[in-house]
Amino acid sequence: AKIKIIQNGTVNAKVKISHKIKLSLNLSERKKKNPKLDAVDVDLFITLNKNSKRVDLKIEVDNNAESHRLRIMFPTNLDAKYHCGEGQFDVVKRSAERPDTKNWIEQPMYDFPLHHFADVSDEKNGLAVLVDGLKEYELLNDKKKTLAVTLFRGFEYIIAPSSKQDYTHLKGSQCLGKSNYNLSLYPHNDDWQNGEVYKEALNFNNPLSLVQTGKANGKLPSEMSFMKVTPDVLVFSALKKSADENSFILRIYNPTEKNIKGKVETFNKINKVEQVTLEELYVKDIDLINDNIFPVSLDKKKIGTYKIEFGIKIC
């Protein structure tokens, strides 16, 4: 690998690591004694920002080889009994142990889905990999407890129901050409919950946008929060107009193993709050704490949906 420091200032530092991985051109060449090879160029940019709790990674790939999987490996060196992957409205805890399957006809797969992060922890220390759009990870069964994240899979496109249909002449499934990927490494104390992994993953996937604007004549203060959900373990999912267009639907969820009580605070005055189903059907009224705060209570692994009618019209 070729390593180059491309930026080293007071705000951040960036290193570029360039790899050339030689692979067989395709499956046919791979079976030959002296296969034709081509290089897959991989450039890894590692950025450390001032005061950041994580290390950001950008990977640029120029792939010319077919039928292979490209993964990035992170040896955690943690004596972890479990690993966790975030999914839809949940964080799934999975055992790191693998059963003896040598006599099984069909071998199990240990590739698992993830949404925003995968985390490995020994309950004292942990390492989370935060991703933007990547969907597959595996905790390898090795001494270093390596966390592997799939960047892409290239494969031949063949359908074989009653009659074989060969689409190998179409190369879309081979992921050829240039592509790029964004990840981040987040070391933390304790487990994913106490280490605030979810919060950091959302920060990584929703970076602040800086916008320059001219002077306006509005009445809002220079600092405000339109809506705040506490505690942080209750995750904001969506805020949208309701089906009747006269109010808003707020959706939050509790991905933890504990029942959580919290509150929602808004900048605008609230007239009425109802708990509703995902289909926006009425469940019950929610009593307000004051004009702009209402309580929420979510059991473990549950989704909460609330219909909010504000005191003023919001377009």
Side-chain angles (χ1 to χ4, degrees):
K2 294 181 179 179
I3 303 174
K4 182 180 180 181
I5 297 176
I6 58 177
Q7 190 169 320
N8 190 14
T10 57
V11 177
N12 59 31
K14 183 180 292 187
V15 175
K16 179 182 179 182
I17 304 175
S18 299
H19 299 265
K20 281 188 178 291
I21 306 172
K22 291 187 177 180
L23 298 175
S24 302
L25 280 177
N26 49 46
L27 286 179
S28 298
E29 289 295 327
R30 192 182 300 177
K31 296 174 183 178
K32 296 179 181 179
K33 187 175 181 180
N34 296 305
K36 293 180 181 178
L37 303 177
D38 206 331
V40 176
D41 294 326
V42 181
D43 290 331
L44 170 62
F45 298 87
I46 304 175
T47 303
L48 180 61
N49 294 304
K50 184 179 180 180
N51 297 328
S52 176
K53 297 179 180 180
R54 62 177 195 256
V55 180
D56 294 337
L57 311 176
K58 182 179 180 181
I59 305 169
E60 295 180 351
V61 181
D62 191 358
N63 179 42
N64 298 306
E66 297 180 7
S67 300
H68 69 97
R69 175 172 63 167
L70 183 63
R71 300 197 288 182
I72 181 169
M73 307 291 196
F74 301 101
T76 67
N77 292 305
L78 295 169
D79 185 20
K81 301 296 187 291
Y82 299 93
H83 56 93
C84 297
E86 188 244 350
Q88 284 72 26
F89 304 104
D90 197 7
V91 176
V92 181
K93 186 178 181 180
R94 302 180 174 97
S95 175
E97 294 183 5
R98 299 192 179 187
D100 183 3
T101 61
K102 61 183 178 183
N103 295 324
W104 292 21
I105 295 175
E106 184 176 347
Q107 293 298 313
M109 294 183 66
Y110 295 99
D111 304 313
F112 295 104
L114 79 160
H115 189 39
H116 285 122
F117 70 84
D119 184 74
V120 180
S121 171
D122 61 5
E123 305 301 328
K124 294 181 180 179
N125 299 288
L127 180 71
V129 178
L130 319 179
V131 299
D132 178 10
L134 300 175
K135 296 298 178 183
E136 180 183 276
Y137 82 96
E138 178 186 3
L139 184 65
L140 301 186
N141 190 28
D142 60 359
K143 292 181 179 179
K144 294 185 177 182
K145 284 291 192 290
T146 300
L147 184 61
V149 177
T150 300
L151 302 181
F152 69 80
R153 289 174 178 261
F155 59 94
E156 290 188 342
Y157 186 19
I158 299 175
I159 301 176
S162 56
S163 60
K164 183 178 179 180
Q165 301 175 60
D166 190 343
Y167 296 95
T168 53
H169 60 286
L170 301 175
K171 302 299 183 182
S173 61
Q174 294 291 359
C175 300
L176 299 174
K178 295 182 179 180
S179 57
N180 59 78
Y181 311 90
N182 292 303
L183 308 91
S184 190
L185 279 178
Y186 176 56
H188 60 86
N189 295 325
D190 213 319
D191 58 9
W192 71 267
Q193 184 177 330
N194 294 324
E196 298 186 328
V197 173
Y198 220 127
K199 180 179 179 180
E200 200 65 35
L202 292 176
N203 288 339
F204 174 67
N205 276 267
N206 301 277
L208 289 174
S209 297
L210 196 62
V211 178
Q212 184 174 353
T213 181
K215 184 179 179 180
N217 296 318
K219 297 180 180 180
L220 295 178
S222 58
E223 291 185 6
M224 64 162 283
S225 176
F226 176 73
M227 180 172 289
K228 184 177 181 180
V229 180
T230 53
D232 288 339
V233 290
L234 294 178
V235 182
F236 171 89
S237 174
L239 181 69
K240 70 178 191 70
K241 282 219 171 167
S242 62
D244 59 20
E245 295 287 327
N246 295 320
S247 52
F248 284 79
I249 296 295
L250 169 67
R251 185 166 295 120
I252 61 177
Y253 58 96
N254 175 13
T256 74
E257 297 284 351
K258 299 179 180 179
N259 299 340
I260 302 293
K261 290 185 178 181
K263 62 183 180 180
V264 176
E265 183 176 356
T266 67
F267 173 74
N268 291 299
K269 181 181 177 181
I270 300 172
N271 280 346
K272 184 180 180 181
V273 178
E274 297 175 354
Q275 184 176 346
V276 296
T277 66
L278 288 172
E279 299 86 1
E280 301 182 23
L281 302 177
Y282 174 83
V283 176
K284 65 178 182 180
D285 291 326
I286 302 293
D287 294 329
L288 300 178
I289 296 176
N290 59 35
D291 287 346
N292 65 329
I293 301 176
F294 66 91
V296 292
S297 180
L298 285 181
D299 290 344
K300 60 182 181 180
K301 307 294 185 181
K302 293 297 183 179
I303 303 170
T305 307
Y306 304 92
K307 186 176 181 179
I308 306 171
E309 181 183 306
F310 289 104
I312 60 173
K313 185 178 179 180
I314 301 176
C315 300

